[in-house]
Amino acid sequence: MAALLVYANTLNNPFVYDDFHTVVANPSLRPPLSLEFVLVHSPFRPVVNLSYALDRAVWGFRPAGFHLTNTLLHATMAGLVFLVITGAITDARERRGEPARADGLDVLAASAAAVLFAVHPLMSSAVAYVSGRSELLCGVFFAAGLLCARSAMSRGDLARPDTSPARPAVDRHRFAGALAILLGAFAV
């Protein structure tokens, strides 16, 4: 919520600097939209270009929509920061033999860290600048990958995979984590 409040003022910003090259003059975002052209136009950043194409399909070339997407991605990242920190606290408690749950002070600490991340001016260029979306997508996918890896490790799936017929050969947590990190790499 803090990220939405702090960066709501970016919704009225125009396209600036590299936004003209990456969005406005990007031929893969012109109608008719072709998924193949969107993905190959920017072969080193297909995830970012796909996100621009989705914004273009929803908002046209109105900058407010592109800025809203960046703000929502940043808010999502702040929420993921909270989840990563509470998970780390829970894991640390478990390793010390304490109950594996985050108590009130732990949640307060994780909330404070997430809010600090959400409002820190270091993120301003990534959120307020449409072409900064690659950093936002990379962060979201990387944090999601960490959460998936934590889930797989906490269930023991990485240490001793279960190959019984009742269980699929590819664990969904491992697969989702690998996919998230791969998408994050393509977003950079």
PDB file of all heavy atoms in Angstrom, residues 163-180:
ATOM      1  N   THR A 163      10.246 -40.079  -5.806  1.00  0.00           N
ATOM      2  CA  THR A 163      10.000 -40.549  -7.168  1.00  0.00           C
ATOM      3  C   THR A 163       8.854 -41.560  -7.212  1.00  0.00           C
ATOM      4  O   THR A 163       8.750 -42.339  -8.154  1.00  0.00           O
ATOM      5  CB  THR A 163      11.276 -41.181  -7.756  1.00  0.00           C
ATOM      6  OG1 THR A 163      11.708 -42.229  -6.885  1.00  0.00           O
ATOM      7  CG2 THR A 163      12.361 -40.132  -7.912  1.00  0.00           C
ATOM      8  N   SER A 164       8.006 -41.550  -6.201  1.00  0.00           N
ATOM      9  CA  SER A 164       6.888 -42.492  -6.203  1.00  0.00           C
ATOM     10  C   SER A 164       5.930 -42.161  -7.340  1.00  0.00           C
ATOM     11  O   SER A 164       5.828 -41.012  -7.768  1.00  0.00           O
ATOM     12  CB  SER A 164       6.155 -42.437  -4.860  1.00  0.00           C
ATOM     13  OG  SER A 164       5.523 -41.188  -4.716  1.00  0.00           O
ATOM     14  N   PRO A 165       5.203 -43.169  -7.852  1.00  0.00           N
ATOM     15  CA  PRO A 165       4.291 -42.927  -8.971  1.00  0.00           C
ATOM     16  C   PRO A 165       3.188 -41.929  -8.647  1.00  0.00           C
ATOM     17  O   PRO A 165       2.656 -41.280  -9.535  1.00  0.00           O
ATOM     18  CB  PRO A 165       3.701 -44.310  -9.262  1.00  0.00           C
ATOM     19  CG  PRO A 165       4.521 -45.288  -8.513  1.00  0.00           C
ATOM     20  CD  PRO A 165       5.252 -44.550  -7.447  1.00  0.00           C
ATOM     21  N   ALA A 166       2.840 -41.791  -7.385  1.00  0.00           N
ATOM     22  CA  ALA A 166       1.767 -40.860  -7.004  1.00  0.00           C
ATOM     23  C   ALA A 166       2.214 -39.417  -7.109  1.00  0.00           C
ATOM     24  O   ALA A 166       1.398 -38.511  -7.103  1.00  0.00           O
ATOM     25  CB  ALA A 166       1.302 -41.164  -5.583  1.00  0.00           C
ATOM     26  N   ARG A 167       3.498 -39.210  -7.199  1.00  0.00           N
ATOM     27  CA  ARG A 167       4.027 -37.852  -7.222  1.00  0.00           C
ATOM     28  C   ARG A 167       4.617 -37.544  -8.598  1.00  0.00           C
ATOM     29  O   ARG A 167       5.349 -38.345  -9.155  1.00  0.00           O
ATOM     30  CB  ARG A 167       5.115 -37.729  -6.172  1.00  0.00           C
ATOM     31  CG  ARG A 167       5.675 -36.363  -6.089  1.00  0.00           C
ATOM     32  CD  ARG A 167       6.110 -36.143  -4.722  1.00  0.00           C
ATOM     33  NE  ARG A 167       6.559 -34.784  -4.661  1.00  0.00           N
ATOM     34  CZ  ARG A 167       7.057 -34.259  -3.621  1.00  0.00           C
ATOM     35  NH1 ARG A 167       7.164 -34.956  -2.543  1.00  0.00           N
ATOM     36  NH2 ARG A 167       7.445 -33.028  -3.621  1.00  0.00           N
ATOM     37  N   PRO A 168       4.326 -36.384  -9.144  1.00  0.00           N
ATOM     38  CA  PRO A 168       4.889 -36.063 -10.463  1.00  0.00           C
ATOM     39  C   PRO A 168       6.416 -35.989 -10.400  1.00  0.00           C
ATOM     40  O   PRO A 168       6.985 -35.655  -9.371  1.00  0.00           O
ATOM     41  CB  PRO A 168       4.285 -34.703 -10.794  1.00  0.00           C
ATOM     42  CG  PRO A 168       3.714 -34.182  -9.533  1.00  0.00           C
ATOM     43  CD  PRO A 168       3.494 -35.340  -8.605  1.00  0.00           C
ATOM     44  N   ALA A 169       7.056 -36.322 -11.516  1.00  0.00           N
ATOM     45  CA  ALA A 169       8.521 -36.327 -11.568  1.00  0.00           C
ATOM     46  C   ALA A 169       9.101 -34.936 -11.350  1.00  0.00           C
ATOM     47  O   ALA A 169      10.159 -34.786 -10.765  1.00  0.00           O
ATOM     48  CB  ALA A 169       8.988 -36.883 -12.907  1.00  0.00           C
ATOM     49  N   VAL A 170       8.422 -33.910 -11.810  1.00  0.00           N
ATOM     50  CA  VAL A 170       8.899 -32.544 -11.636  1.00  0.00           C
ATOM     51  C   VAL A 170       8.037 -31.877 -10.571  1.00  0.00           C
ATOM     52  O   VAL A 170       6.844 -31.689 -10.748  1.00  0.00           O
ATOM     53  CB  VAL A 170       8.821 -31.747 -12.959  1.00  0.00           C
ATOM     54  CG1 VAL A 170       9.249 -30.315 -12.747  1.00  0.00           C
ATOM     55  CG2 VAL A 170       9.672 -32.416 -14.016  1.00  0.00           C
ATOM     56  N   ASP A 171       8.661 -31.548  -9.454  1.00  0.00           N
ATOM     57  CA  ASP A 171       7.930 -30.899  -8.370  1.00  0.00           C
ATOM     58  C   ASP A 171       7.526 -29.501  -8.800  1.00  0.00           C
ATOM     59  O   ASP A 171       8.327 -28.766  -9.370  1.00  0.00           O
ATOM     60  CB  ASP A 171       8.828 -30.841  -7.133  1.00  0.00           C
ATOM     61  CG  ASP A 171       8.125 -30.184  -5.968  1.00  0.00           C
ATOM     62  OD1 ASP A 171       7.361 -30.867  -5.270  1.00  0.00           O
ATOM     63  OD2 ASP A 171       8.331 -28.972  -5.797  1.00  0.00           O
ATOM     64  N   ARG A 172       6.303 -29.116  -8.518  1.00  0.00           N
ATOM     65  CA  ARG A 172       5.812 -27.806  -8.969  1.00  0.00           C
ATOM     66  C   ARG A 172       6.561 -26.654  -8.323  1.00  0.00           C
ATOM     67  O   ARG A 172       6.741 -25.609  -8.943  1.00  0.00           O
ATOM     68  CB  ARG A 172       4.312 -27.687  -8.724  1.00  0.00           C
ATOM     69  CG  ARG A 172       3.912 -27.738  -7.285  1.00  0.00           C
ATOM     70  CD  ARG A 172       2.385 -27.764  -7.143  1.00  0.00           C
ATOM     71  NE  ARG A 172       2.040 -28.171  -5.811  1.00  0.00           N
ATOM     72  CZ  ARG A 172       1.607 -27.340  -4.878  1.00  0.00           C
ATOM     73  NH1 ARG A 172       1.421 -26.073  -5.156  1.00  0.00           N
ATOM     74  NH2 ARG A 172       1.337 -27.762  -3.672  1.00  0.00           N
ATOM     75  N   HIS A 173       7.045 -26.806  -7.098  1.00  0.00           N
ATOM     76  CA  HIS A 173       7.787 -25.722  -6.446  1.00  0.00           C
ATOM     77  C   HIS A 173       9.154 -25.530  -7.103  1.00  0.00           C
ATOM     78  O   HIS A 173       9.585 -24.403  -7.328  1.00  0.00           O
ATOM     79  CB  HIS A 173       7.956 -26.005  -4.949  1.00  0.00           C
ATOM     80  CG  HIS A 173       6.672 -26.022  -4.213  1.00  0.00           C
ATOM     81  ND1 HIS A 173       6.082 -24.870  -3.763  1.00  0.00           N
ATOM     82  CD2 HIS A 173       5.844 -27.039  -3.876  1.00  0.00           C
ATOM     83  CE1 HIS A 173       4.941 -25.176  -3.164  1.00  0.00           C
ATOM     84  NE2 HIS A 173       4.773 -26.485  -3.219  1.00  0.00           N
ATOM     85  N   ARG A 174       9.822 -26.650  -7.404  1.00  0.00           N
ATOM     86  CA  ARG A 174      11.115 -26.537  -8.079  1.00  0.00           C
ATOM     87  C   ARG A 174      10.937 -25.967  -9.479  1.00  0.00           C
ATOM     88  O   ARG A 174      11.708 -25.125  -9.928  1.00  0.00           O
ATOM     89  CB  ARG A 174      11.814 -27.887  -8.152  1.00  0.00           C
ATOM     90  CG  ARG A 174      12.416 -28.285  -6.820  1.00  0.00           C
ATOM     91  CD  ARG A 174      13.242 -29.500  -6.977  1.00  0.00           C
ATOM     92  NE  ARG A 174      12.345 -30.659  -7.002  1.00  0.00           N
ATOM     93  CZ  ARG A 174      12.737 -31.902  -7.172  1.00  0.00           C
ATOM     94  NH1 ARG A 174      13.992 -32.168  -7.363  1.00  0.00           N
ATOM     95  NH2 ARG A 174      11.876 -32.884  -7.163  1.00  0.00           N
ATOM     96  N   PHE A 175       9.918 -26.451 -10.184  1.00  0.00           N
ATOM     97  CA  PHE A 175       9.666 -25.966 -11.536  1.00  0.00           C
ATOM     98  C   PHE A 175       9.318 -24.480 -11.525  1.00  0.00           C
ATOM     99  O   PHE A 175       9.861 -23.698 -12.307  1.00  0.00           O
ATOM    100  CB  PHE A 175       8.533 -26.766 -12.181  1.00  0.00           C
ATOM    101  CG  PHE A 175       8.180 -26.272 -13.556  1.00  0.00           C
ATOM    102  CD1 PHE A 175       8.986 -26.558 -14.636  1.00  0.00           C
ATOM    103  CD2 PHE A 175       7.043 -25.506 -13.755  1.00  0.00           C
ATOM    104  CE1 PHE A 175       8.678 -26.094 -15.907  1.00  0.00           C
ATOM    105  CE2 PHE A 175       6.717 -25.036 -15.023  1.00  0.00           C
ATOM    106  CZ  PHE A 175       7.542 -25.338 -16.096  1.00  0.00           C
ATOM    107  N   ALA A 176       8.417 -24.067 -10.625  1.00  0.00           N
ATOM    108  CA  ALA A 176       8.020 -22.656 -10.556  1.00  0.00           C
ATOM    109  C   ALA A 176       9.205 -21.779 -10.183  1.00  0.00           C
ATOM    110  O   ALA A 176       9.380 -20.689 -10.729  1.00  0.00           O
ATOM    111  CB  ALA A 176       6.877 -22.475  -9.559  1.00  0.00           C
ATOM    112  N   GLY A 177      10.041 -22.239  -9.271  1.00  0.00           N
ATOM    113  CA  GLY A 177      11.218 -21.469  -8.883  1.00  0.00           C
ATOM    114  C   GLY A 177      12.199 -21.304 -10.032  1.00  0.00           C
ATOM    115  O   GLY A 177      12.700 -20.216 -10.282  1.00  0.00           O
ATOM    116  N   ALA A 178      12.458 -22.393 -10.736  1.00  0.00           N
ATOM    117  CA  ALA A 178      13.380 -22.316 -11.877  1.00  0.00           C
ATOM    118  C   ALA A 178      12.813 -21.421 -12.967  1.00  0.00           C
ATOM    119  O   ALA A 178      13.538 -20.616 -13.558  1.00  0.00           O
ATOM    120  CB  ALA A 178      13.648 -23.721 -12.414  1.00  0.00           C
ATOM    121  N   LEU A 179      11.516 -21.536 -13.230  1.00  0.00           N
ATOM    122  CA  LEU A 179      10.885 -20.700 -14.243  1.00  0.00           C
ATOM    123  C   LEU A 179      10.933 -19.220 -13.853  1.00  0.00           C
ATOM    124  O   LEU A 179      11.244 -18.359 -14.679  1.00  0.00           O
ATOM    125  CB  LEU A 179       9.436 -21.133 -14.469  1.00  0.00           C
ATOM    126  CG  LEU A 179       8.656 -20.343 -15.512  1.00  0.00           C
ATOM    127  CD1 LEU A 179       9.307 -20.491 -16.894  1.00  0.00           C
ATOM    128  CD2 LEU A 179       7.205 -20.817 -15.550  1.00  0.00           C
ATOM    129  N   ALA A 180      10.673 -18.924 -12.583  1.00  0.00           N
ATOM    130  CA  ALA A 180      10.688 -17.535 -12.123  1.00  0.00           C
ATOM    131  C   ALA A 180      12.084 -16.925 -12.276  1.00  0.00           C
ATOM    132  O   ALA A 180      12.236 -15.797 -12.742  1.00  0.00           O
ATOM    133  CB  ALA A 180      10.228 -17.447 -10.671  1.00  0.00           C
TER     134      ALA A 180
END
